[in-house]
Amino acid sequence: MRIAIDAMGGDHAPSLIVQGALEAALEWPAVHLILVGDKARIETHLGSKRPSNIEILHAEDVIGPDDEPVKAVRRKKNSSMVMAGQLVREGKAEAMLSAGNTGALMTTGLLVVGRMEGIERPALVTMLPTMDDKGVLALDLGANMDAKPEHLLQYAIMGSIYRSKMNGMDKPRVGLLNVGTEAMKGNELTKAAYELLETAPIHFIGNVEARDVLVRNCDVLICDGFAGNIMLKAMEGTAGTLFKTMRDVFTSSLLSKLAAAIVQPKLRALRNKMDYKEHGGAPLLGVNGLVVKCHGSSDVKAVKNAVRQAKLAIESNLISSIAAEISRK
Amino acid sequence: MRIAIDAMGGDHAPSLIVQGALEAALEWPAVHLILVGDKARIETHLGSKRPSNIEILHAEDVIGPDDEPVKAVRRKKNSSMVMAGQLVREGKAEAMLSAGNTGALMTTGLLVVGRMEGIERPALVTMLPTMDDKGVLALDLGANMDAKPEHLLQYAIMGSIYRSKMNGMDKPRVGLLNVGTEAMKGNELTKAAYELLETAPIHFIGNVEARDVLVRNCDVLICDGFAGNIMLKAMEGTAGTLFKTMRDVFTSSLLSKLAAAIVQPKLRALRNKMDYKEHGGAPLLGVNGLVVKCHGSSDVKAVKNAVRQAKLAIESNLISSIAAEISRK
């Protein structure tokens, strides 16, 4: 099993990316990791501890966070991200991970790794946190800004297979993000998608509202990339603002600091639970291989988690299962 | 000044609606209130205290929460909601308030009160809570599910006038809800709307993200009804779930109950602050008169607040100012 890692992407690249890869390589000796990036810098961070299942592929160039995605992917053929994508395209790696520029990684998935046959638009998949810790798999959260009903149908099929393969769910409940639960609610897109989802080979439970996601009213949440991204950021912003305001409440007096000391461990656990960045990488589904976006602020633990996730996806034949189901239609 | 109130709409109708109207009538003697609904029931709740500035207009019928909006408005001509709308249409009232069926009220606005000349789609306007208590006026949050760029432009003009007239803001900052702050982010709708907003007679500050709304990164937030409703419910659901989980944390032990007692007043204030239902009624802008949707669970205080809001809108010539600006274009 071979996984390519863009060692130069992300806020803490290459240091924490390389350290995360190192820990993963030591834990899973059967996983062969290819670190793509500046050889000298990667070697510095690897030090003398380099295990035999870590390989370095030198890349001259780097795609930065402010690079215009399509232009960067087209022009920077020797960047660590594009070269990692090339390894997947050529079958030299089964997966690639990157904590770099999200738009550029989606473009790499589309243009370098290549779109899966039968898929119109790949989708960016994120596990939203829920109170019961099982999460809601939401897609698309930003790869495709102008989705058509057929795209949403394909998301539903890909998301269902993901939950079955990755989480062992038997009949994952698929919900359509909408402004109300009644069948005919919504805009033209969701109304048309609802009809397609009703006849799809999935367990469609109908429309779901954004206010119920945290209590896991479905296992797979289907949405267009625009509305999905708005939902994600509204949840993130509300949780962030509330926790910040609570911190102010708890530090406002000596007595409140005492109160804080009592409940702090549980509140901290709640805050961590709400942090979707903690919940692993976001795969781009619908391309010819596994492409996983790690959060830009990924640290050692996040990189190791992303490798674990990729390993599980490869072992469970996630991508070939999706390809088989999509071609069956 | 004459304000029609649908006495039969809402979870607590007619009792709390009538009581709210009664308190408003006593506080503002210059405001003439017309309670539309079942005369006998309204009289029961008014008791013997009926002031001279409260009038009852008997309505045989009621539009229920589960009625299909367009069908109900077309067929139930003698319903309290449609009759209240008719009063506005005929100039017998300057405003109408209802806590009933939202879809039916929007339809009443469109079909009974009538669309304002030059306006393509009316918008439902809600004040979102912010940490500094000044709020963000968001529109549209659900009247128009398939908005065009021109609709968003009209929302921006109506929202700016609302903030100037109702909150005395000199140059309200108008933001476009989007998935990123850069100018070219978003879907086809927001990209086209961005260009229109740049040349509009408003103070356009560009794209804003849902995660920053609570810290009031703009005064008027422009969005299509679908995405706006998703955002609103994501915020509501996240806040609701967090407060519920915190309550569990605080009641989990004797010590944590002690902690709760210390910080409870401030946390309760925070929860109330986050509750957008507390922030008055939601006007439907773009129709020929003032139509205000009160929350379904409106109580005495909410009804009284909605009357205060309508009174201010009438005094500040809100509707005629919007009509003048829209016809100028």
Side-chain angles (χ1 to χ4, degrees):
Chain A
M1 181 185 305
R2 298 168 66 88
I3 299 171
I5 298 178
D6 169 10
M8 311 307 286
D11 304 343
H12 308 301
S15 66
L16 302 191
I17 307 290
V18 172
Q19 282 177 51
L22 193 58
E23 290 203 5
L26 292 171
E27 179 146 351
W28 301 295
V31 178
H32 188 87
L33 296 176
I34 307 165
L35 289 172
V36 189
D38 186 306
K39 189 158 187 270
R41 292 183 66 192
I42 293 174
E43 278 176 340
T44 307
H45 292 291
L46 273 180
S48 56
K49 307 164 286 186
R50 179 173 159 188
S52 63
N53 58 334
I54 284 199
E55 174 189 339
I56 301 173
L57 176 66
H58 180 66
E60 290 283 331
D61 218 343
V62 174
I63 293 181
D66 300 321
D67 275 334
E68 200 281 307
V70 177
K71 208 180 285 180
V73 171
R74 289 220 168 108
R75 293 191 187 162
K76 294 187 171 177
K77 302 281 185 207
N78 295 320
S79 62
S80 54
M81 187 188 283
V82 172
M83 285 180 69
Q86 198 64 35
L87 288 175
V88 177
R89 183 190 188 96
E90 294 167 357
K92 291 175 181 162
E94 285 140 296
M96 74 165 285
L97 315 179
S98 176
N101 185 320
T102 307
L105 183 62
M106 292 190 291
T107 308
T108 297
L110 261 178
L111 302 185
V112 181
V113 176
R115 185 156 42 193
M116 185 180 280
E117 201 182 319
I119 288 286
E120 293 192 41
R121 296 292 172 96
L124 199 60
V125 180
T126 295
M127 191 67 88
L128 300 176
T130 58
M131 287 302 117
D132 69 357
D133 290 327
K134 291 188 176 167
V136 167
L137 189 83
L139 69 169
D140 167 43
L141 288 189
N144 176 13
M145 283 295 144
D146 289 284
K148 297 198 166 57
E150 297 72 30
H151 304 159
L152 268 54
L153 170 64
Q154 295 191 329
Y155 300 166
I157 293 170
M158 295 194 291
S160 288
I161 296 175
Y162 189 98
R163 284 301 248 183
S164 303
K165 293 285 178 185
M166 298 289 284
N167 307 120
M169 284 189 175
D170 186 27
K171 272 175 66 179
R173 297 165 302 155
V174 179
L176 178 63
L177 180 67
N178 212 329
V179 297
T181 54
E182 304 88 338
M184 282 316 295
K185 281 277 181 178
N187 55 13
E188 286 171 16
L189 173 66
T190 59
K191 285 179 195 171
Y194 191 98
E195 291 185 17
L196 292 178
L197 291 170
E198 274 192 310
T199 58
I202 53 166
H203 179 37
F204 180 51
I205 59 159
N207 293 324
V208 299
E209 290 193 85
R211 80 173 120 215
D212 301 320
V213 169
L214 285 174
V215 293
R216 199 165 70 91
N217 55 347
C218 61
D219 303 307
V220 179
L221 179 67
I222 303 305
C223 46
D224 71 279
F226 186 83
N229 196 284
I230 297 288
M231 174 192 66
L232 179 71
K233 287 181 181 158
M235 293 170 72
E236 188 192 349
T238 305
T241 303
L242 285 185
F243 283 120
K244 194 193 158 299
T245 310
M246 274 193 291
R247 200 172 52 215
D248 295 345
V249 168
F250 277 120
T251 52
S252 61
S253 72
L254 259 176
L255 259 179
S256 67
K257 281 179 190 161
L258 174 69
I262 295 169
V263 291
Q264 200 163 43
K266 286 191 176 175
L267 288 185
R268 190 174 291 143
L270 177 61
R271 193 174 61 191
N272 289 341
K273 183 183 282 201
M274 287 295 299
D275 187 358
Y276 73 96
K277 296 185 209 73
E278 295 275 317
H279 295 253
L284 181 72
L285 294 184
V287 295
N288 278 322
L290 188 66
V291 175
V292 179
K293 169 72 179 93
C294 305
H295 199 272
S297 62
S298 290
D299 56 11
V300 173
K301 189 176 146 215
V303 173
K304 201 178 154 191
N305 274 341
V307 172
R308 184 203 314 269
Q309 193 182 8
K311 177 176 171 286
L312 178 59
I314 296 168
E315 284 166 353
S316 65
N317 299 313
L318 174 69
I319 303 300
S320 58
S321 301
I322 290 176
E325 183 62 37
I326 292 292
S327 68
R328 225 165 53 81
K329 285 182 43 72
Chain B
M1 181 183 308
R2 297 167 67 89
I3 299 173
I5 299 179
D6 169 9
M8 311 308 285
D11 305 342
H12 308 301
S15 65
L16 302 192
I17 307 290
V18 172
Q19 283 178 50
L22 193 57
E23 291 204 5
L26 292 171
E27 179 145 352
W28 301 294
V31 177
H32 188 86
L33 296 176
I34 307 164
L35 289 172
V36 188
D38 185 306
K39 188 158 188 271
R41 294 183 65 193
I42 294 173
E43 278 176 339
T44 307
H45 293 290
L46 273 181
S48 55
K49 307 165 287 185
R50 180 173 158 189
S52 63
N53 58 334
I54 284 198
E55 173 189 341
I56 301 174
L57 177 65
H58 181 65
E60 289 284 330
D61 218 343
V62 174
I63 294 181
D66 301 321
D67 275 334
E68 201 279 307
V70 177
K71 209 180 286 178
V73 171
R74 290 220 169 108
R75 293 192 187 161
K76 294 187 170 178
K77 303 281 186 208
N78 295 320
S79 62
S80 54
M81 188 188 283
V82 172
M83 285 180 68
Q86 197 65 34
L87 288 176
V88 177
R89 183 190 187 96
E90 294 166 358
K92 292 175 182 163
E94 285 140 296
M96 73 165 285
L97 316 179
S98 176
N101 186 319
T102 307
L105 184 61
M106 291 190 292
T107 308
T108 298
L110 261 178
L111 302 185
V112 181
V113 177
R115 186 158 38 194
M116 185 181 279
E117 200 183 319
I119 287 286
E120 294 194 40
R121 298 292 171 96
L124 199 59
V125 180
T126 296
M127 191 68 88
L128 300 176
T130 57
M131 288 302 117
D132 69 357
D133 291 325
K134 292 189 177 166
V136 167
L137 189 84
L139 70 169
D140 168 43
L141 289 189
N144 176 14
M145 283 295 145
D146 290 284
K148 296 198 166 57
E150 296 72 30
H151 304 160
L152 269 55
L153 170 63
Q154 294 191 329
Y155 300 168
I157 293 170
M158 294 194 291
S160 287
I161 295 174
Y162 189 98
R163 285 300 249 184
S164 302
K165 293 284 177 185
M166 298 288 285
N167 307 120
M169 284 189 174
D170 184 28
K171 272 176 65 180
R173 298 164 302 156
V174 178
L176 177 64
L177 180 66
N178 212 328
V179 297
T181 53
E182 303 88 339
M184 281 316 293
K185 281 275 180 179
N187 55 13
E188 286 170 16
L189 173 66
T190 58
K191 286 178 195 171
Y194 191 98
E195 291 185 18
L196 292 179
L197 291 170
E198 275 191 310
T199 57
I202 53 167
H203 179 37
F204 180 51
I205 59 159
N207 293 323
V208 299
E209 290 193 85
R211 82 174 118 216
D212 302 320
V213 169
L214 285 175
V215 293
R216 200 167 69 94
N217 56 348
C218 61
D219 303 306
V220 179
L221 179 66
I222 302 306
C223 45
D224 71 279
F226 186 83
N229 197 284
I230 297 288
M231 174 192 68
L232 179 71
K233 287 181 180 157
M235 292 170 73
E236 188 192 351
T238 305
T241 303
L242 285 185
F243 283 119
K244 196 195 157 298
T245 310
M246 272 194 292
R247 198 171 55 215
D248 296 344
V249 168
F250 277 120
T251 52
S252 60
S253 73
L254 260 176
L255 258 180
S256 67
K257 281 178 190 163
L258 174 70
I262 296 168
V263 291
Q264 201 163 41
K266 285 193 176 174
L267 288 185
R268 189 174 291 145
L270 177 61
R271 193 173 63 191
N272 289 342
K273 183 184 281 202
M274 287 295 299
D275 188 357
Y276 73 97
K277 298 186 209 72
E278 295 275 318
H279 295 254
L284 180 72
L285 294 184
V287 294
N288 277 323
L290 188 65
V291 175
V292 179
K293 168 74 178 92
C294 305
H295 199 270
S297 62
S298 289
D299 56 11
V300 174
K301 190 175 145 215
V303 174
K304 199 177 155 192
N305 274 341
V307 173
R308 183 202 314 270
Q309 194 181 7
K311 177 176 171 283
L312 178 58
I314 296 167
E315 286 167 351
S316 65
N317 299 313
L318 174 69
I319 303 299
S320 59
S321 301
I322 290 175
E325 183 63 36
I326 292 290
S327 68
R328 224 165 53 82
K329 287 185 40 75

